[in-house]
Each structure stands twice: as C-alpha cells, then as structure tokens.
Amino acid sequence: MRKKSDTEWLRGQLETVASLGKRVGTIRHETSHEYGPHTALKLAALNHCLEVFLQVARKHVDHYHDFDSAIYVDLFAGCGATRVPQTGDWLAGSPVLAVGGRLPFDKMICIEKDARNAEALEARLSLFQGREWKVLRGDCNEIARGLKASVHSKNPLVFVFVDPVVTGRLQFEAVSLLVIQTNIQVLDS
C-alpha cells in the first residue's frame, strides 16, 4: 500500500473533523463556539493524537492487559461543535472527535462549566450509540480533585485534553492531582 502524502494525510484528518462536525452541527445548532479556520488544523492534530493514543491503548488494554481501561477526560469540553463564521462550516469539537473515532475509549468524562454548552454536548454525544460517556457540570478545578471516583477503574490509561478558552482558568494543582491519581497523558493545546 502506498504511503499517503502529507497533503493526503491532512486532508483525511480535516475531512473527519468536518464530517463529524456536520453530523453534530444539526443538533442544537443555536449553541456553538465560533473560531477561525485555524481551529480546523488544531482539531485535525487532536484527531491524529487520539488515533495514535487509541491504537496503543487498545493493545495495552485488550491484548497485553497492562491497563484495565482507556479513558478520555476533557477538562474544558465545551458544546462539542464549532462553527467557522467565515465559511459557515461546522467542525467537531474535541469530545465529538473522541467519541466518534474508529477505536473506542472505554469511558469518556467531559467537564463543562456552562449549563447551555453541557446540555448541547449531551445531545450531540447521544448520537453515538454504544459509547460510554458522562458530562460533568461544573468547574474542572473542583471536579478534578475527585475525578478518580468517577473513573471506576483500578488501573486506567487516561488521555486528558486541556484546552481552556480563557487563559488562567486551569489551576496547576488540578492537573497535578490527575497525574498523581491516574496513568495519564496530558495534551495541552
């Protein structure tokens, strides 16, 4: 099989972000984030990281049994969809990329402070049958302190995505507690 060129690879990542975005953009379309076209590149990079992480994690969970589950945690989950005002295109948000991937997480925990965004995210994630997810409403700094209780796993491999809209909303103590409590990989955009 011929190796994809960089352009073909990027096009594939962007098509995933856009197709999942189009799918969830029809749900609660009045609730979305609006960012510029550069956001598509960030989401394409995240999608690639999720794919690579899950390929490795599924082997270690399902075959080697080094871990008992693969868990996704999004500290600033948002509403799950971004609209690009310049083009009108819909892009999948980070939790939608995580739930809509080819390989599954055993559990997803999405933290969102804004009630309207949390409701829209729940409606969007409900499109993905057979995937286990939970939206926790509140400040991630407070929720992170007791997150281990929500995981219900003795030895999880955890992917934490940290993308605060407003700089300074994340306290370092919250992330350090997650690191201490679990086997995590932190991706900070």
Side-chain angles (χ1 to χ4, degrees), residues 75-94:
L75 295 182
F76 298 91
C79 67
T82 297
R83 197 177 68 73
V84 180
Q86 297 91 328
T87 63
D89 291 328
W90 286 93
L91 305 173
S94 50

Side-chain angles (χ1 to χ4, degrees), residues 32-43:
S32 69
H33 302 290
E34 291 193 355
Y35 297 111
H38 65 281
T39 301
L41 295 174
K42 178 182 78 171
L43 291 167

Side-chain angles (χ1 to χ4, degrees), residues 57-77:
R58 294 280 27 127
K59 282 183 186 174
H60 285 274
V61 171
D62 300 332
H63 301 293
Y64 304 134
H65 307 290
D66 298 330
F67 301 95
D68 59 6
S69 60
I71 297 175
Y72 174 84
V73 175
D74 198 322
L75 295 182
F76 298 91

Side-chain angles (χ1 to χ4, degrees), residues 89-155:
D89 291 328
W90 286 93
L91 305 173
S94 50
V96 171
L97 292 174
V99 77
R102 183 177 53 83
L103 295 173
F105 281 95
D106 295 302
K107 183 172 190 167
M108 292 180 42
I109 299 170
C110 303
I111 303 170
E112 177 52 42
K113 190 173 186 176
D114 182 87
R116 188 172 155 189
N117 285 342
E119 289 170 11
L121 179 59
E122 288 172 337
R124 289 173 173 141
L125 293 177
S126 69
L127 292 174
F128 300 88
Q129 300 295 318
R131 302 288 171 109
E132 186 178 341
W133 53 268
K134 179 188 277 190
V135 176
L136 302 177
R137 297 178 189 197
D139 185 315
C140 68
N141 294 299
E142 296 302 318
I143 293 173
R145 297 179 204 294
L147 196 58
K148 180 124 174 124
S150 296
V151 170
H152 303 295
S153 180
K154 290 185 191 306
N155 190 27

